[in-house]
Amino acid sequence: MIDHTLITILEKVSDPEIPVLSIMDMGVVRSAQWKENKVEVSITPTYSGCPAMDVLAEDIKAAFNEKGIISEVKLVLAPAWTTDWITARGRKALEDYGIAAPLDAEADKEALLGNKKIIKCPQCGSTETKMISQFGSTACKALFQCETCQEPFDYFKCLK
Amino acid sequence: MNKENLIQYIYSIADNSLILGQRMSELCGHGPSLETDIACTNMALDLLGQTRSYYQYVATLLGEGKTEDDVAYLRTEREYKNVLLVEQPNTHFGYVIARQFFYDTFHLLLLEKLQFSTDETLAAIAKKGIKEVSYHKRFSSDWIKRLGDGTAESHQKIQEAITDLWAYTGELFDMLPEDQEAVEAGIGVDVTTLKEKYQEQIKNVLDEATLSVPELQWFQRGGKQGIHSEHMGFLLADLQYMQRTYPNMKW
Ligand SMILES: [Zn+2]
């Protein structure tokens, strides 16, 4: 449960590696509740080794601190995060930032195996794109290149 | 099951991730191409992340203010329970890929079972890991095929690595007394039941890669009991250097 009075503060915190994406749109905040005179927040990691998680916890505490609120941040592993938890607004923010948003699991598999050209270039919108590497600039992304405009770009891999 | 044995059981899984992750991270800035460099270090990061979750759990079991860093940095060689396979050096890219492929295939089979553990923490770590390890396995299997079915030289080099490292795969299916205890408690996985599926999956990929599965009667073992190969000391010296030289130093 996320206490709705806390949402505006949480929305100001963004993923340190994708600054346009708030942690609310990312879907990593699992709960945020008042416990007596402090706030308890639970977040879930995107990938196990995501180095952004430690920074995120600090950023959340700092955001509450700014409002004079003391908070505690806990990491929860279950249920595991999935890209389905990225909101529609989050997906739009990714695309605007130049990162192709994740497809559903089936389409993702086809695209990463190179069976189908369905990943849209965030620069020109062409689907004439090819995978360069399953692993991109961070663990959550694959590297693609657009064959129409030649631009390389990141694709946010589906995680389910 | 008693706490000490549970900790030992967790080490036998977690230490594989730590040591393989350490080996892969050695490629940072040294991969054969930019894409493979990034891929290998991303996999190292996944493995290290999984290790942290396991070690944080161990630290809570140990109590007395112990942290994940004590577990990672302050054990002696004999206290690490990883299999010999994962500590083998990055002799050449063929070895990196063969080692990864042999471990990924096992790792995924293991986690697919471990996600049903009655231990909630282990089940959660496994469930999260499955998603990541599926990517690793896809990466290493693709490279096995690419190198095996590539040029004469790449074929020869990957076959060399496969033949050498195969001797280290037998140990993956050994059961120690604490493993047995973990299985009986519903916490652990009976790895002997994974063997057949493992060999079948390895054979399928190697067949497609035009490579042959070595025929061996005798396998190397010892890592699970803490008896490691000569490479382990050097690896740990690198891994533990900071904490050993400057105890309790913080980044
Ligand atoms: Zn384009």
Side-chain angles (χ1 to χ4, degrees), chain A residues 45-49 51 54 77-78 80-81 108 112-113 132-136 138-139 157-160, chain B residues 35 38-39 42-43 45-46 48-50 52-53 121 124-125 127-129 131-132 135-136 138-139 142:
Chain A
T46 49
Y47 278 70
S48 297
D54 291 338
L77 291 176
W81 181 80
D108 177 87
L112 291 181
L113 292 176
I132 307 285
S133 171
Q134 274 174 34
F135 295 89
T138 63
K157 288 183 284 198
C158 169
L159 202 62
K160 250 190 133 88
Chain B
E35 285 77 20
I38 292 171
N42 265 315
M43 293 195 284
L45 197 59
D46 286 341
L48 193 63
Q50 294 160 14
R52 287 190 64 187
S53 299
T121 310
I125 299 171
K127 216 169 240 168
K128 183 121 198 86
K131 302 176 175 187
E132 296 158 358
Y135 275 117
H136 302 178
R138 203 189 288 168
F139 175 84
D142 280 355

Side-chain angles (χ1 to χ4, degrees), chain A residues 83-144:
Chain A
T83 39
D84 290 350
W85 295 352
I86 301 177
T87 64
R89 191 170 60 176
R91 295 175 63 89
K92 168 99 175 40
L94 280 176
E95 299 275 351
D96 291 345
Y97 192 61
I99 299 171
L103 300 172
D104 65 71
E106 211 36 56
D108 177 87
K109 202 169 170 192
E110 294 288 323
L112 291 181
L113 292 176
N115 296 344
K116 271 188 196 156
K117 296 197 171 209
I118 36 181
I119 303 217
K120 220 161 71 181
C121 166
Q123 304 297 334
C124 74
S126 164
T127 52
E128 284 299 311
T129 58
K130 64 165 188 221
M131 189 179 73
I132 307 285
S133 171
Q134 274 174 34
F135 295 89
S137 57
T138 63
C140 53
K141 302 180 211 117
L143 187 62
F144 273 72

Side-chain angles (χ1 to χ4, degrees), chain A residues 121-126 129 146-151 153:
Chain A
C121 166
Q123 304 297 334
C124 74
S126 164
T129 58
C146 174
E147 291 175 300
T148 306
C149 74
Q150 303 300 322
E151 279 292 316
F153 65 92

Side-chain angles (χ1 to χ4, degrees), chain A residues 6-29 32 39 41 43 52-67 71 73 89-90 93:
Chain A
L6 302 172
I7 290 178
T8 47
I9 300 172
L10 288 166
E11 272 177 339
K12 293 220 168 65
V13 183
S14 58
D15 182 328
E17 279 169 348
I18 313 168
V20 292
L21 196 58
S22 95
I23 54 170
M24 292 304 293
D25 286 334
M26 189 80 177
V28 298
V29 179
V39 169
V41 183
I43 55 174
M53 295 316 287
D54 291 338
V55 181
L56 246 175
E58 289 308 312
D59 288 353
I60 292 172
K61 281 189 235 166
F64 279 110
N65 207 21
E66 220 171 87
K67 302 278 174 202
S71 60
V73 182
R89 191 170 60 176

Side-chain angles (χ1 to χ4, degrees), chain B residues 46-84:
Chain B
D46 286 341
L47 290 165
L48 193 63
Q50 294 160 14
T51 308
R52 287 190 64 187
S53 299
Y54 290 120
Y55 285 180
Q56 282 162 6
Y57 182 35
V58 169
T60 62
L61 293 170
L62 288 169
E64 293 170 11
K66 290 268 192 285
T67 71
E68 53 183 312
D69 287 341
D70 294 311
V71 178
Y73 294 122
L74 299 176
R75 277 183 293 155
T76 58
E77 181 174 326
R78 292 290 289 266
E79 293 171 299
Y80 285 86
K81 300 193 63 194
N82 57 282
V83 290
L84 299 174

Side-chain angles (χ1 to χ4, degrees), chain B residues 4-57:
Chain B
E4 180 47 34
N5 286 356
L6 175 60
I7 291 171
Q8 292 303 319
Y9 180 68
I10 299 171
Y11 284 157
S12 75
I13 299 172
D15 290 350
N16 287 331
S17 289
L18 175 74
I19 302 301
L20 186 58
Q22 174 74 7
R23 277 285 182 237
M24 287 306 255
S25 69
E26 286 171 16
L27 290 167
C28 187
H30 299 277
S33 70
L34 189 58
E35 285 77 20
T36 44
D37 188 304
I38 292 171
C40 290
T41 45
N42 265 315
M43 293 195 284
L45 197 59
D46 286 341
L47 290 165
L48 193 63
Q50 294 160 14
T51 308
R52 287 190 64 187
S53 299
Y54 290 120
Y55 285 180
Q56 282 162 6
Y57 182 35

